Amino acid sequence: MSTAVVVEAPGVHRLAGHTPRDPGPGEALVRVHAVGICGSDREVYQGNRPEGYVRYPLTPGHEWSGTVQVVGAGVPASLVGRKVVGEGFRNCQVCDRCHAGETTLCTAGYEETGFTRPGAMATTLTLPARLLHVLPDDCDLTAAALMEPAACIAAAAIKANARPGERVAVVGTGTLGMFAVQFLHAGSPGELLVVGSRPDREELSRQFGATDFRTRDQDLPDDFDVVIETAGSASAARTAASLLRRGGRLVLTGIPAPGAEGLDPTDLVVRQLEVHTVFGAPPDAWAHTVRVFAAGLLDPLPLVTHELPLDGFAQAIDLVGSGDPKVGKVLLRP
């Protein structure tokens, strides 16, 4: 029987029967291969996600890969059988931000797969075909399940606009941090520093292209051109800003706890730092991610440490929040 994870309310979930929903006009039905668990899924389960950014009961799952099984009216039949990943934000397509390509800023309100709409922790997922990005036929779908966090970092890399030869740095050594290393390395930096709290991540950082690795308690430079922060804490944001030269470019991707003390505005102004933020990934970042992945410049598989069936949802949530350095990306396999 087809199954799905359903979170009825914070702390309450069940494995339920799943009936695939036939695609309507403009939609596609995807058979899910793998779905990733991230901190925001843990927030959904614990009830910590901000009001308006989750709707119960819910089938979670916004990081996923799969194969198109059926398409609705108006969708090219050639899409059937293709390996795909998909954008999460269900933008309205008609507001000024959507027309500008900034779909994560849609003024119609927040709607996203796996948070306010049914997600991929099920055997199948039906969604608008316009959100799909087609992958190479020979790609590894397990690796492709990490395209969503990679796309968020692609958005950061696009905003950072690092030029060949510039000195760049990444603060944070989790999944997002390791993707940031790979994207920046692909741009031929003059130097690529990784700063984190886990010394055990040095080997992987260097494997992905880092030229230097330091922990936050070590002496840190202050003359980098570009820094991407991925750790999600106020202290990490301050560390990231401190690494920059005057006029440097900072991109924040982590989300600290509400009320956290942030960056010093006087420091930002006096040093004329250029600060960008990222929340989700617009279409251009998704397209860039798929291109980089297809070109073999993005290697997600070393980040995957656990693969569990859908009935391992509770265990997966515990693993993600365990703090165990041996736990990387956890996937569920419907």
Side-chain angles (χ1 to χ4, degrees):
M1 181 182 71
S2 295
T3 55
V5 173
V6 177
V7 177
E8 297 283 2
V12 180
H13 81 282
R14 61 188 173 91
L15 203 64
H18 171 69
T19 301
R21 182 173 69 80
D22 292 335
E27 292 186 322
L29 183 151
V30 176
R31 179 166 294 279
V32 178
H33 173 81
V35 55
I37 306 282
C38 84
S40 55
D41 295 304
R42 184 173 167 81
E43 289 177 351
V44 166
Y45 187 60
Q46 293 182 325
N48 297 329
R49 194 151 173 88
E51 184 178 356
Y53 288 85
V54 64
R55 189 177 300 136
Y56 302 100
L58 172 71
T59 292
H62 61 288
E63 304 177 4
W64 58 270
S65 64
T67 304
V68 176
Q69 299 292 297
V70 185
V71 296
V75 180
S78 59
L79 199 59
V80 174
R82 297 303 304 272
K83 295 177 178 179
V84 295
V85 289
E87 298 175 32
F89 282 78
R90 304 293 186 91
N91 55 299
C92 75
Q93 303 183 79
V94 296
C95 72
D96 63 337
R97 291 301 87 205
C98 285
H99 282 306
E102 298 175 341
T103 55
T104 60
L105 298 175
C106 176
T107 59
Y110 172 79
E111 294 285 347
E112 186 176 2
T113 299
F115 296 108
T116 63
R117 301 289 184 93
M121 290 185 195
T123 310
T124 69
L125 173 65
T126 301
L127 73 168
R130 62 182 174 81
L131 299 177
L132 298 179
H133 290 261
V134 177
L135 301 167
D137 291 334
D138 62 351
C139 82
D140 186 322
L141 276 177
T142 300
L146 277 69
M147 288 298 96
E148 192 276 342
C152 294
I153 292 302
I158 290 170
K159 289 188 175 185
N161 191 27
R163 303 171 183 87
E166 286 193 314
R167 304 179 70 225
V168 301
V170 174
V171 174
T173 55
T175 298
L176 296 182
M178 294 299 95
F179 276 133
V181 174
Q182 294 184 64
F183 273 107
L184 291 174
H185 174 66
S188 301
E191 184 176 345
L192 175 47
L193 167 68
V194 175
V195 177
S197 57
R198 290 177 49 184
D200 62 294
R201 288 298 236 185
E202 179 172 3
E203 181 179 350
L204 189 58
S205 298
R206 292 186 182 276
Q207 177 183 323
F208 287 146
T211 59
D212 191 8
F213 182 97
R214 305 188 194 186
T215 56
R216 292 189 207 173
D217 57 354
Q218 293 179 293
D219 290 335
L220 298 176
D222 60 1
D223 56 355
F224 275 65
D225 300 292
V226 170
V227 179
I228 296 179
E229 177 276 326
T230 68
S233 69
S235 62
R238 290 191 290 271
T239 295
S242 72
L243 293 170
L244 287 165
R245 63 166 174 80
R246 290 171 59 87
R249 305 187 296 283
L250 172 64
V251 186
L252 304 174
T253 70
I255 304 177
E261 293 186 7
L263 303 175
D264 180 356
T266 300
D267 179 61
L268 299 181
V269 173
V270 170
R271 293 204 290 139
Q272 300 181 60
L273 299 184
E274 185 178 319
V275 181
H276 299 272
T277 60
V278 169
F279 178 65
D284 64 336
W286 273 95
H288 181 51
T289 301
V290 171
R291 282 195 303 268
V292 173
F293 178 60
L297 299 174
L298 202 62
D299 185 10
L301 277 180
L303 302 175
V304 178
T305 58
H306 295 76
E307 297 182 52
L308 304 170
L310 279 184
D311 61 10
F313 172 75
Q315 180 186 353
I317 291 294
D318 287 342
L319 283 169
V320 170
S322 69
D324 186 341
K326 295 181 180 179
V327 177
K329 176 55 67 173
V330 179
L331 300 181
L332 294 182
R333 297 289 295 272

